[in-house]
Amino acid sequence: MLNMGGPSTVPETYDFLKNLFMDGDLIPLPFQRVLAPLIAKRRTPQIEKQYAEIGGGSPILRYTEYQGAGMCALLDELHPETAPHKAYVAFRYANPLTQETARRMKADGVKRAVAFTQYPQYSCSTTGSSLNELFRRGRAGEMGDIEWTVIDRWGTHPGFIEAMAQNVEAALQKFQPSDRNDVVLLFSAHSLPMSVVNRGDPYVLEVSASVNAVMERLGHSNPYRLVWQSQVGPSAWIGMQTGEAVKGLARLGKKQVVLIPIAFTSDHIETLYELELEYMKEGRELGMEMQRAESLNESPVFIRALADIVAQHLRDYSVGKSGPMSIQMGLRCPGCKNATCGQQKHWFARAGQ
C-alpha cells in the first residue's frame, strides 16, 4: 500500500520533510541535495507545532494498517485462490519507508505482490514517485524475486465514490433542512506545481473526474467547486487555493460550506490541521457555518471498495484480461524527461522482471 506517509511522532518531522524536499518527482528544486535539508530544517519548527496540535503526529500509518487488515480479511473471501493475503505499507517520506518494507518482503519470502497506490488519482509526483522508488529497490535486488502487478489509479471506482458521497451526506445533515440545498460543497485536493501539470500530468483531470462522479451520485444536489491546498514555496501551483476560496465565498455571501478532502483516503496533517484548524477556523471568523466531510479512515464501505479493487485486479490478471499494469500507466507524460519514469514503466510492464 503506497502513500506519502507522515511522521507518527513529532521528533520524526525533520526526516519526513527532508525526504519530501529531496524528491524531485514531487518538488523539483535546483541543487536539490543541498537545498532540501536546508528547507526542511527551516520549516521543521513550524511543522512540529502543527503535528503537536493534531495529537503529536500523523495518524496515517494507523489508518493505513487498519484499512489494509480489513481489506485482506475480505480478500481472503473474495479471492481465495491467492489467500492468505498480507498488506505491507510503503511510505515515500516517513516510516515505514519503501526501503524498509522491501527488506521485510524479502525476509518474508514474498513471491507475488500488487503495488497498490493509496492515491486514488494518479500523478507522476505521487503514485509515480512511489513506483519509481519501488522500481529502484526492486532493480537493486532488495526485494528478492517478486512477480509484480500495479493498481495505479481508481478515482472513479463506485465503492470509493459511494464512501465519499456518504460522508458528504453526513456532513450536510448537520445543516438546517431549509438551508441544506444551498450549502456549497468545496472539494479540496493537494495542489501540484504548475511545472508538473504543464508537462502533461493527468492529476487535475483525474481529480475532476472523482468530483464529477461524487456529484453524479449526489444528484447534483448542491453548488460545488474544486479547489487546491498545501502549496509549498514561491513557484506557481494549481489554484485557486482552498483558503482563498473560503474567503471568496464569504465575500460573496455564501456562508455555508462543507469542505471535502477528495484526494485523501485517511486523516493526516492536510485534513486535521489545514482543513480543520486553519480553513474552518478562518471561515468561522468570517461568520461562516463550516463542516468537514469525514475522511475515509475506518469506513467499511471504503475498505470493501479496496478489497473489490484488488480482487478484480487479481481476477483480470489471472485470466489474461489485463497485464501487469493499466494501459494508461504505460503512457508517459508528453513533456516527461525523467529517465527513471520510463525505466520504471518498462520494469513493471514485465511484472518486475
Side-chain angles (χ1 to χ4, degrees):
M1 300 177 76
L2 307 174
N3 211 328
M4 69 183 299
S8 295
T9 63
V10 172
E12 297 175 62
T13 302
Y14 170 75
D15 287 339
F16 168 74
L17 292 174
K18 183 183 70 173
N19 292 335
L20 186 148
F21 286 110
M22 285 286 287
D23 184 8
D25 293 327
L26 177 65
I27 305 174
L29 294 171
F31 310 108
Q32 192 126 16
R33 290 191 173 276
V34 176
L35 286 178
L38 296 175
I39 297 172
K41 185 176 181 180
R42 187 187 65 184
R43 288 181 58 83
T44 293
Q46 174 192 353
I47 304 302
E48 284 182 336
K49 290 179 182 177
Q50 294 178 4
Y51 277 112
E53 288 190 48
I54 63 170
S58 172
I60 188 171
L61 176 59
R62 172 165 54 87
Y63 284 128
T64 304
E65 289 178 336
Y66 182 92
Q67 292 163 354
M71 173 188 70
C72 287
L74 289 169
L75 269 175
D76 289 347
E77 300 177 12
L78 293 171
H79 201 265
E81 300 89 334
T82 50
H85 301 89
K86 181 176 181 178
Y88 291 84
V89 177
F91 285 157
R92 189 67 181 85
Y93 312 119
N95 294 321
L97 292 166
T98 306
Q99 181 177 355
E100 175 189 337
T101 300
R103 287 195 293 264
R104 287 180 55 212
M105 294 178 73
K106 186 174 184 178
D108 290 349
V110 174
K111 298 298 181 184
R112 172 74 174 92
V114 177
F116 187 11
T117 181
Q118 296 305 291
Y119 304 101
Q121 306 89 7
Y122 185 92
S123 171
C124 299
S125 62
T126 53
T127 296
S129 176
S130 287
L131 292 174
N132 284 348
E133 182 67 5
L134 199 61
F135 156 67
R136 284 188 285 263
R137 300 301 171 185
R139 182 177 59 178
E142 296 179 22
M143 293 183 291
D145 185 20
I146 297 177
E147 179 185 2
W148 284 98
T149 57
V150 183
I151 300 173
D152 60 286
R153 68 199 76 205
W154 38 275
T156 56
H157 184 273
F160 168 62
I161 298 304
E162 178 63 26
M164 291 294 308
Q166 287 186 13
N167 285 0
V168 174
E169 288 173 332
L172 284 169
Q173 289 298 312
K174 298 175 182 178
F175 293 87
Q176 291 296 322
S178 58
D179 299 331
R180 210 164 281 159
N181 288 344
D182 295 324
V183 175
V184 176
L185 305 182
L186 209 55
F187 292 87
S188 187
H190 202 296
S191 187
L192 282 182
M194 288 305 299
S195 60
V196 175
V197 177
N198 288 339
R199 68 178 178 229
D201 191 281
Y203 178 69
V204 174
L205 170 66
E206 296 196 10
V207 175
S208 300
S210 296
V211 171
N212 185 66
V214 172
M215 292 309 303
E216 288 281 350
R217 159 61 179 76
L218 295 172
H220 289 275
S221 58
N222 293 74
Y224 70 98
R225 284 294 187 273
L226 169 59
V227 292
W228 309 88
Q229 66 180 88
S230 310
Q231 176 176 329
V232 178
S235 62
W237 287 52
I238 312 169
M240 80 178 311
Q241 291 293 303
T242 304
E244 294 304 311
V246 169
K247 295 173 186 175
L249 288 172
R251 178 178 53 82
L252 294 172
K254 298 291 185 180
K255 294 199 172 186
Q256 294 174 309
V257 173
V258 173
L259 290 175
I260 305 160
I262 188 64
F264 307 108
T265 56
S266 63
D267 275 325
H268 44 93
I269 197 168
E270 285 85 354
T271 59
L272 296 175
Y273 188 86
E274 281 189 68
L275 291 185
E276 286 198 6
L277 299 185
E278 283 191 356
Y279 304 142
M280 288 183 66
K281 179 182 177 182
E282 289 174 1
R284 287 164 179 159
E285 289 173 351
L286 293 169
M288 303 176 76
E289 184 180 359
M290 303 275 291
Q291 298 291 341
R292 177 173 78 87
E294 293 294 324
S295 298
L296 298 174
N297 294 341
E298 299 178 0
S299 162
V301 175
F302 176 62
I303 292 170
R304 174 61 191 238
L306 294 178
D308 286 342
I309 290 166
V310 178
Q312 189 63 53
H313 172 80
L314 293 172
R315 283 192 291 266
D316 289 348
Y317 183 67
S318 67
V319 299
K321 188 176 179 180
S322 65
M325 64 186 199
S326 71
I327 293 173
Q328 181 72 332
M329 181 178 153
L331 179 64
R332 293 174 67 183
C333 296
C336 179
K337 297 179 181 178
N338 185 347
T340 301
C341 179
Q343 295 165 5
Q344 168 251 112
K345 292 179 185 298
H346 182 66
W347 189 76
F348 279 114
R350 293 180 291 114
Q353 304 300 314

